[in-house]
Amino acid sequence: MCGIIGYAGDECAVPIIVDGLKKLEYRGYDSAGIAIFDGGGFNVVKQKGRLAALEEKLENTSLCGNMGIGHTRWATHGEPSDVNSHPHLGSGSKIAVVHNGIIENYKQLKARLERRGITFASQTDSEVVAQLAEYYYKGDLLDAVIKTANALEGSYALGIMCLEEPDVLIAVKKDNPLIVGVSQNANFIASDVPAILKHTNQVYYLEDKEIAVLTKNGVEFFNTDKEPLTKQIETITWSVDSAEKGGYPHFMLKEIMEQPKVLRDTIQTEITKLPDISQFNKIVITACGSAYNAGVVSKYVFERLCRFPSIEVDLASEFRYKDACVDEKTLVILVSQSGETADTIAAMREAKSKGAVTLSIVNVVGSTLAKEADYTVYTAAGPEIAVATTKAFSTQLAVLYKLAVKFAVDLQKISQEEAKTLSDEIATIPDKVAEILTHIDFIQKYASTCIGYKSIFFIGRNIDYAIALEGSLKLKEISYIHSEAYAGGELKHGTISLVEEDTLVVAISCCQRLYPKIFSNMEQVISRGAKVFLVSNAAEAEEHDKLSLLKLPDIHELFSPSLSAIVLQLFSYYVAANKGCDIDKPRNLAKSVTVE
Ligand code: F6R
């Protein structure tokens, strides 16, 4: 979704803001813009399309100034266009605003302002913030921002500057992330750490309705009653390099290759604070997209190890509206890389309002899910920049496995010895992933033969089906090839009618018990002319001459998705790369979906 960066310092703000916007590109956007206070007034440059187009436009200006705000916009209200891009100005050009989120009452506010003779330039909900702040401005920007924040309904992260207070940059947020970065020579606002990591690792996380007033010399915090607040500064441990491509053509490939390390870090980190599992009679795992798929995988693991009476997995966007049967005897597990996914946050709040205990598995420290959930376990994936998740997904699986083992012991469903055996097996995952990464050339070569397919199917059974869902999602999001995942046993119930000469079926088979079943599914599709790419650790697979095989290292069936996922990620990556797709920023997608 949209990205914000703001700078107040001694240097020319333009290159710093543009560089920050580049670091936010991964969030997804369709236009970008920048407003600089240049001593005389606001200079605003906005451009539909990629940042390169904005940079080109900026090259033809001599724009400079020590304070500014920048924005990458992912259109919600109003088409992607120059005029709808941010920053927006009030009609008197006194206030400049960048906004992430959705102003739900913008129509009413707009109508009120229009009745007072104010004319709007764009079709966005965001412009109403600039117009309203300008309308309220009576010589004190903080007052105007407080009044504006109180009038807005919906979600927002805002960066606001005022012509008459040229040293001040104000930030405020509600239900949308915003951080304040501080350094000796400059202060920053940003939607996300990578945007400012190059300049500082000292940040404050704004809470809802907290206001930050920045100058180049310092930052003060207030609540909406204008009372000063004391906030805790936090140190970001991510290295600057972790947000750079490091010689790889795409962040996605870099992040795939980082998996042995981040898995090791995650597996070695002890989980300290957890609820007593015996107090619950139901577990609900809820999340979106790939994080949901991690939840689907983990349902098999929880079920098998914990023998828990009721374990459900729900899409967060469904859970939040279904009037779920959860109460204080339910543990709701929320899985999220960003910790800012709007539906997952809403699901958590819904669960809490019904008395359920919430546990979040999150990658971004200080994010909303991490802060609001009753319990939080962090994945140690480091910053994930590519829109398509890889390393965060893998670390989510690792945490879920560890939880399942821990809960199984606490529920006395497995012995300490069995838990040790399982934990030892989990500890082998990083090395086995590293082994799979040595097959990169084979996967690249095979994927290069697959770019012509209009549709690719993924099949598996049980936990292999769960990971087939993720393989299919990964492929479609970055390569734009239509794809579906089916449980192998479902083929005969309708899906097989889609299989014809030269259909590609990717089969995953890591469940010993089910080898014969999935093999018979493969025979059925092969006999109808399909080609099969098999990802398996079955010895029998090597005897099959009618398919392409990627042989996986052996591992306990329950943890095998951690290995097959790597092959599926690389397969999708190379299909997309061979098709020349914009892998790190696939069309229409955003890294963190902070609006509904
Ligand atoms: C797919 C992908 C998305 C995210 C989903 C949830 O590759 O990355 O499907 O998994 O948007 O995002 P988080 O994990 O940030 O809640």
Side-chain angles (χ1 to χ4, degrees), residues 5 14 17-22 25 29-36 43-61 63 69-73 82 85-87:
I5 165 117
V14 180
I17 290 175
V18 170
D19 182 67
L21 290 179
K22 282 187 188 159
E25 271 191 296
Y29 71 105
D30 38 45
S31 60
I34 174 167
I36 298 290
N43 245 309
V44 181
V45 182
K46 314 203 273 193
Q47 179 65 45
K48 179 185 164 185
R50 288 292 183 211
L51 259 182
L54 177 73
E55 281 187 279
E56 211 172 290
K57 218 173 188 178
L58 284 167
E59 271 168 26
N60 303 322
T61 68
L63 195 60
I69 45 182
H71 190 261
T72 46
R73 172 174 188 252
D82 291 359
S85 313
H86 301 212

Side-chain angles (χ1 to χ4, degrees), residues 288-291 336-338 341 387-389 396 473-474 477:
C288 300
S290 293
S336 175
Q337 187 284 128
S338 62
T341 299
V387 164
T389 182
Q396 286 162 357
L473 176 64
K474 205 93 301 168
E477 67 175 329

Side-chain angles (χ1 to χ4, degrees), residues 281-284 299 303 307-312 330-331:
N281 59 20
K282 182 173 182 175
I283 297 177
V284 179
K299 179 173 157 50
E303 242 162 23
R307 312 308 297 167
F308 209 75
S310 172
I311 302 174
E312 292 174 9
T330 311
L331 175 65

Side-chain angles (χ1 to χ4, degrees), residues 328-350:
E328 53 289 333
K329 287 198 150 307
T330 311
L331 175 65
V332 175
I333 302 180
L334 306 124
V335 188
S336 175
Q337 187 284 128
S338 62
E340 299 295 351
T341 299
D343 283 324
T344 315
I345 292 171
M348 173 187 61
R349 289 178 182 161
E350 168 73 5

